[in-house]
Amino acid sequence: MIGPRLYWVREGHWRLGWPPAEQACEEPNGLLAAGGDLEATTLIDAYRRGVFPWFSEGDPILWWTPQPRAVLWPQNFEPARSLRRRLARGDYRVGFDTAFAAVVNACAAPREGAVGTWITPAMAAAYAALHRLGYAHSVEAWQDGDLVGGLYGVALGKVFFGESMFSRRTDASKVAFAHLVRYLREHDYQLIDCQLASDHLTSLGAVDMPRVEFLRLLEQYAQAPDARGPWHVDDDL
């Protein structure tokens, strides 16, 4: 244990199991543990328990379970009028799992006003491994042959754990998100984990939920059988 609450985890094995979520730090919000590894089995177990990695290059792996948790219900998603017009115009062609590495790299690119990125090479490699195993997925928005927006995340049971999104053209990531939500609805996914609220996520319909309620929903939905393998676009929106 480091300090009063932060646990150090041995690489390759959580010998004592995950610390209880209620032992996470209040400041910084949700910091639960440090160390461990980014093996696929570790990540899958972490996500099912409401824990995710987030750290900078040169730091130890840090594991988080914030309070409250930002979530979005796929069945309740209602695109704004401007987004509906954008979808109707068909400005972007959308694909699933056609350029996973490119989406992750784009999400990791420097952003205006930000220093560095939490999508380190080790993190990118870890999610690439989850993608090969059929757990991690990307949604891509294309225009004139260029990748102009997208997102990626991890699907376990009936929960999609969103990780990051990017946009190089107006509303490109929102269009990708709208297609993601339709796919999740059609395949009976019940919840999207947005991790931490932001103005962008709130504009898409994300709301805050007490962590204890979020973990209770994970026990119900994230333990359902996994539908592994690549995703495919069905019909246009």
Side-chain angles (χ1 to χ4, degrees):
M1 181 185 295
I2 301 175
R5 293 186 177 182
L6 186 60
Y7 285 78
W8 182 268
V9 183
R10 293 182 181 273
E11 183 175 354
H13 193 59
W14 301 84
R15 298 185 182 278
L16 300 177
W18 291 92
E22 58 267 21
Q23 293 187 14
C25 297
E26 294 181 6
E27 183 59 41
N29 178 19
L31 181 57
L32 180 67
D37 59 67
L38 295 173
E39 295 296 324
T41 53
T42 304
L43 288 171
I44 291 168
D45 186 47
Y47 278 106
R48 290 198 203 276
R49 298 171 184 271
V51 179
F52 59 87
W54 185 29
F55 61 100
S56 300
E57 185 71 36
D59 291 340
I61 301 171
L62 301 176
W63 301 91
W64 304 77
T65 178
Q67 160 72 356
R69 193 72 166 235
V71 302
L72 192 147
W73 305 95
Q75 301 301 331
N76 293 344
F77 174 69
E78 290 291 341
R81 182 180 303 173
S82 60
L83 180 54
R84 291 199 300 270
R85 290 198 297 265
R86 178 81 63 183
L87 291 165
R89 289 200 302 266
D91 293 338
Y92 305 115
R93 177 177 62 84
V94 174
F96 286 85
D97 287 338
T98 63
F100 184 85
V103 169
V104 173
N105 289 337
C107 289
R111 306 197 183 195
E112 185 177 355
V115 178
T117 176
W118 62 270
I119 306 176
T120 65
M123 286 279 276
Y127 287 102
L130 285 180
H131 177 63
R132 290 192 295 272
L133 291 171
Y135 291 106
H137 303 279
S138 60
V139 187
E140 305 89 22
W142 303 86
Q143 189 174 61
D144 299 327
D146 295 327
L147 180 64
V148 297
L151 59 89
Y152 76 98
V154 177
L156 296 172
K158 293 300 181 182
V159 181
F160 184 81
F161 299 85
E163 279 300 314
S164 188
M165 59 175 56
F166 79 99
S167 189
R168 294 171 178 160
R169 305 276 172 83
T170 303
D171 290 339
S173 64
K174 292 182 179 181
V175 168
F177 185 79
H179 280 263
L180 168 70
V181 170
R182 178 180 179 181
Y183 182 94
L184 297 178
R185 285 175 172 173
E186 291 178 345
H187 293 81
D188 198 34
Y189 281 80
Q190 299 297 310
L191 190 66
I192 300 174
D193 172 31
C194 302
Q195 298 181 351
L196 293 166
S198 67
D199 290 343
H200 183 62
L201 291 170
T202 299
S203 73
L204 294 173
V207 296
D208 279 340
M209 173 183 291
R211 182 172 57 208
V212 64
E213 183 177 348
F214 173 73
L215 296 178
R216 187 163 53 246
L217 289 175
L218 288 191
E219 290 180 0
Q220 179 180 356
Y221 296 133
Q223 305 301 326
D226 299 316
R228 293 168 55 185
W231 289 357
H232 304 281
V233 174
D234 296 325
D235 298 324
D236 293 336
L237 282 173

